[in-house]
Amino acid sequence: MWFSPLTPHWSCSTMRLSQMIGSRYKERPAEAVLDSHAFLLRGGYMRQVANGIYSLLTPGLRVAQKIETLIREEMNRIGGQEVLMPLVLPRELWDESGRYETIGPELLRFADRTGHDMLLGMTHEEAVVALCRNEVKSHAQLPFMVYQIQTKFRDEARSRGGLIRVREFTMKDAYSFHTSQEDLERYYDVCYDAYNRIFARAGLPEVTPVESDTGMMGGQIAHEFILLADCGEDTIAVCGSCSYRANMEVAEGRIEAYPEDALPLEKIHTPGMKTIEEVAGFIDVEPRQTAKVVFYQNDADGKLVLALIRGDLEVNEAKVAKQIKTLPVPATEAQIEAVGAVAGFATPMGLDTAKVRIIADETVAASNNLVCGANEVDYHYKNFNLGRDLPGVAACDIAEVADGAGCTRCAGTLNLRRGIEVGNIFQLGTKYCTAMNMSYTDAAGKMQTPIMGCYGIGVGRLAASVIEARHDKFGPQWPISIAPWQVHINALKVDDPIRETADALYADLCAAGIEAIYDDRNASPGVQFAEADLLGVPIRIIVSKRNLDNGELEFKRRDTGEKGTIPREGAIATIQGWIHDALTALKPGTREAINS
RNA sequence: CGGGGCGUAGCGCAGUCCGGUUUAGCGCACCUGCUUUGGGAGCAGGGGGUCGCCGGUUCGAAUCCGGCCGCCCCGACCA
């Protein structure tokens, strides 16, 4: 019958390749730079609609749904309640938190037909607080966690790399509410474990938590879950000896001290020597024996900022941002001159602290007799000592960790690696609940503000990350937990017995609840194998005359590389066993869930 | 937002400098038929394009000029 190919779809999650929309192709798309991007397009997982915006075809959607299911199971396991908040939100909610003003153009704002200002949610703190403040009134309802798997939109200045960095994406975002910081910290650890389980079950046990900046989210403690990969956009400091791992934004390196007896300041002629290298070479000292000055336009109070750091190090602007409570913007020469400093020969000494905020790195405090500028063209000072020469200035950490720096936790060495952020967790504190008036009544009858945490995972980015970490030159090698199908059937040199056997195998797998894709086309083996590789299904079963004459089927494992033959008789049970074993191998040991 | 590259069939590309046998072409993919079948088969036939868009120059524009748009990469930016 002409409609018969559709029939199987109604009853089970299997697919005949001859009917599947979306072709796989041989040539690598020109716009793909990353392997994951190339395979997602070549394998017919997705198609681009606009910059950073994609449609998913069946294989891509199935991978996403598998990941979502897995996340759901782990969120539910730690007591999460699934909800669904809207993508489109009214401006008023974001006015309440203040983020309508503070967030830049990555927040897509628009007006509806009545002229009402609306926005596309890029995260849902405001929405979740607005929802929960009306539902939660008593301490007896706390703690709780709600989560959703929902579309987010961020109008990124530059999306790139296929699904690694997009504008529209699906994200699992979870929000927990607590009556104490201790309880937040307890649950934060529960989430931390749940995240490790999620990534392990998705086939990426190597994803590791790293300490990270809280950025505009506020709060004190945050971790990013990072897959180390050269194509990643984050730089991570990794200790070679202990477990310390931190995003560059917060990574701390060991401070090497170079104590000497302080010598008197000495002004020296340094004609045309502006850079650290020039000055150090001219005076014949190491760069670490100098102090470098970097100017920023203003701190939160409008003062010019002078950042002082040892000459061999760089200033980390994320750390500066924390000190000055605003984003650092490099100062212009005119701004520098206006406070009496001289670019290239600058020193904090003698500047008016009413106009200039001086922040000094701890490394400067840990060295004596440094060379620094004199605020006079062609002159520097020798023997600058922070404690003696700038007595009011306390040292803080504004240094960018350099590759090879010492670890602060052990005797080891830090190395800088690139990584993809596939998830993050934040201890938010009371920022949103306070701003948006969420409160509950405690046991003593007193009004209290809940303490909040939030926890995100990007679904598509995780899928792409798995490809980055698990592929060969032919295509993805999906872990069975998130593979679009569990079994891929190839029928070669199709004649009646082969067709009947393959059809029956497909029907049997379907009846057993196994997710199978069946290449029922009369395509050559080369085509079938190449396209099977692109779909990356872990268990491949090949029905061919060669083995069928012996009553056998051939198998090839894309996830492990094993291959061989199995008897047709009992094949379903064999395959079920493989699936069970493969899923079990991915599952970490069970642990206590939150409410137990 | 700055720098660079690119827009010709679903994908990969040639043609653009130097305007005119180009009715705009090649490979893959697609359709029909036959032959094939263990790693992207062969033969024959066929379909698919407003050459990114708008305007200009010219007898004539994929090709030259102006404007715009889109995509990719690097940087800036970034829960």
Side-chain angles (χ1 to χ4, degrees):
Chain A
M1 244 177 288
W2 60 270
F3 54 84
S4 61
L6 285 176
T7 308
H9 304 204
W10 300 340
S11 53
C12 62
S13 61
T14 56
M15 176 62 77
R16 285 175 184 264
L17 201 44
S18 63
Q19 303 306 120
M20 191 164 79
I21 297 303
S23 57
R24 290 145 302 286
Y25 44 80
K26 199 190 301 189
E27 281 165 305
R28 186 185 178 102
E31 73 258 30
V33 173
L34 302 187
D35 290 332
S36 63
H37 189 189
F39 286 137
L40 285 167
L41 292 171
R42 282 188 57 203
Y45 294 87
M46 66 177 193
R47 297 289 181 245
Q48 182 167 21
V49 175
N51 175 283
I53 300 177
Y54 292 87
S55 291
L56 293 184
L57 288 153
T58 297
L61 180 61
R62 290 182 65 99
V63 171
Q65 288 172 332
K66 291 281 192 76
I67 291 172
E68 290 169 16
T69 298
L70 199 155
I71 291 173
R72 244 180 216 111
E73 288 172 10
E74 294 299 332
M75 288 294 105
N76 291 343
R77 234 176 72 86
I78 60 171
Q81 304 178 48
E82 188 169 4
V83 298
L84 187 61
M85 292 176 278
L87 169 63
V88 176
L89 298 166
R91 169 200 179 137
E92 286 74 12
L93 281 184
W94 285 57
D95 279 334
E96 284 191 58
S97 70
R99 291 207 293 185
Y100 192 85
E101 295 299 335
T102 59
I103 292 193
E106 62 268 26
L107 177 63
L108 183 60
R109 292 157 235 246
F110 62 99
D112 69 12
R113 65 195 295 162
T114 69
H116 197 117
D117 288 333
M118 309 294 280
L119 56 91
L120 293 185
M122 51 191 284
T123 173
H124 280 75
E125 282 75 20
E126 287 83 358
V128 78
V129 171
L131 176 68
C132 294
R133 69 184 167 188
N134 293 329
E135 309 300 328
V136 176
K137 289 288 155 198
S138 161
H139 68 93
Q141 293 171 288
L142 294 159
F144 68 93
M145 182 269 270
V146 295
Y147 73 97
Q148 64 174 349
I149 295 171
Q150 165 69 307
T151 302
K152 299 278 182 283
F153 192 91
R154 293 180 195 171
D155 200 356
E156 296 279 359
R158 189 176 151 219
S159 56
R160 70 192 95 166
L163 291 189
I164 293 292
R165 184 175 182 81
V166 289
R167 294 197 292 169
E168 185 190 294
F169 57 101
T170 301
M171 184 172 179
K172 184 285 297 176
D173 47 322
Y175 307 89
S176 69
F177 296 82
H178 307 271
T179 56
S180 68
Q181 177 64 25
E182 294 67 39
D183 195 55
L184 169 62
E185 288 171 14
R186 174 194 62 80
Y187 192 69
Y188 187 83
D189 290 342
V190 170
C191 273
Y192 185 102
D193 290 340
Y195 269 40
N196 282 326
R197 286 178 55 88
I198 288 166
F199 298 122
R201 288 184 60 189
L204 287 183
E206 67 267 46
V207 167
T208 51
V210 310
E211 296 175 21
S212 68
D213 193 22
T214 51
M216 70 167 177
M217 297 299 298
Q220 290 302 308
I221 295 188
H223 287 83
E224 291 170 348
F225 286 75
I226 297 283
L227 173 69
L228 292 177
D230 291 338
C231 68
E233 306 188 276
D234 290 2
T235 304
I236 313 296
V238 179
C239 179
S241 306
C242 75
S243 61
Y244 181 67
R245 294 184 166 202
N247 192 301
M248 277 290 274
E249 293 164 343
V250 299
E252 297 174 353
R254 195 187 306 134
I255 295 162
E256 307 292 349
Y258 299 98
E260 296 174 9
D261 291 332
L263 299 173
L265 276 174
E266 182 186 338
K267 195 171 185 178
I268 50 174
H269 188 51
T270 51
M273 304 293 156
K274 288 189 169 188
T275 68
I276 290 296
E277 289 68 31
E278 288 167 354
V279 172
F282 183 76
I283 306 176
D284 194 24
V285 295
E286 294 298 316
R288 68 144 183 92
Q289 293 171 283
T290 69
K292 174 162 62 182
V293 161
V294 181
F295 288 100
Y296 296 101
Q297 291 191 356
N298 59 269
D299 67 2
D301 301 325
K303 286 189 196 177
L304 191 80
V305 175
L306 184 155
L308 186 66
I309 193 162
R310 215 175 59 200
D312 59 327
L313 300 174
E314 297 299 325
V315 170
N316 179 317
E317 295 190 352
K319 291 181 180 178
V320 172
K322 274 193 182 165
Q323 295 295 327
I324 66 175
K325 307 275 191 283
T326 187
L327 283 181
V329 179
T332 64
E333 198 137 335
Q335 290 170 318
I336 294 169
E337 283 172 16
V339 298
V342 179
F345 302 93
T347 177
M349 288 185 289
L351 295 181
D352 182 357
T353 53
K355 293 181 190 163
V356 184
R357 173 166 177 173
I358 297 167
I359 52 178
D361 188 68
E362 291 164 340
T363 53
V364 175
S367 288
N368 294 101
N369 301 328
L370 298 173
V371 173
C372 74
N375 279 343
E376 190 177 336
V377 174
D378 292 345
Y379 285 95
H380 280 78
Y381 279 114
K382 285 169 81 170
N383 304 328
F384 169 76
N385 291 274
L386 182 70
R388 180 191 68 191
D389 300 324
L390 284 176
V393 174
C396 57
D397 174 24
I398 54 169
E400 183 132 302
V401 167
D403 193 43
C407 179
T408 56
R409 312 283 172 91
C410 74
T413 302
L414 300 178
N415 287 302
L416 301 185
R417 303 277 305 274
R418 303 286 285 178
I420 304 168
E421 177 188 354
V422 289
N424 53 34
I425 56 179
F426 290 85
Q427 293 184 18
L428 284 181
T430 55
K431 174 178 172 178
Y432 295 93
C433 294
T434 301
M436 299 181 68
N437 292 317
M438 176 166 175
S439 59
Y440 65 94
T441 310
D442 70 13
K446 218 176 133 196
M447 295 275 275
Q448 299 287 358
T449 303
I451 300 169
M452 202 174 161
C454 74
Y455 320 90
I457 293 177
V459 173
R461 182 182 281 184
L462 178 54
S465 298
V466 171
I467 298 180
E468 288 297 332
R470 304 279 182 271
H471 72 271
D472 59 17
K473 63 190 270 204
F474 303 109
Q477 295 166 301
W478 294 112
I480 198 161
S481 53
I482 65 169
W485 290 274
Q486 297 168 323
V487 178
H488 186 120
I489 305 170
N490 290 114
L492 301 187
K493 279 203 262 189
V494 180
D495 58 12
D496 286 348
I498 287 170
R499 174 66 66 211
E500 284 162 22
T501 303
D503 281 355
L505 179 68
Y506 177 60
D508 290 349
L509 288 168
C510 174
I514 293 168
E515 300 160 359
I517 181 147
Y518 174 20
D519 193 342
D520 59 332
R521 303 169 303 172
N522 192 11
S524 71
V527 172
Q528 288 204 22
F529 293 150
E531 297 198 1
D533 289 342
L534 284 170
L535 288 171
V537 171
I539 299 170
R540 184 178 309 172
I541 302 293
I542 301 153
V543 184
S544 70
K545 188 156 176 51
R546 183 189 289 182
N547 299 298
L548 194 57
D549 289 344
N550 307 324
E552 291 187 317
L553 302 170
E554 187 178 337
F555 73 90
K556 182 174 180 186
R557 291 290 293 262
R558 184 124 178 82
D559 51 353
T560 65
E562 296 166 84
K563 52 186 171 183
T565 57
I566 55 170
R568 168 65 182 96
E569 209 63 40
I572 301 299
T574 305
I575 292 166
Q576 273 176 321
W578 288 341
I579 292 170
H580 177 267
D581 292 346
L583 284 171
T584 305
L586 290 168
K587 255 190 183 165
T590 54
R591 291 196 198 178
E592 294 297 298
I594 177 183
N595 291 327
S596 57

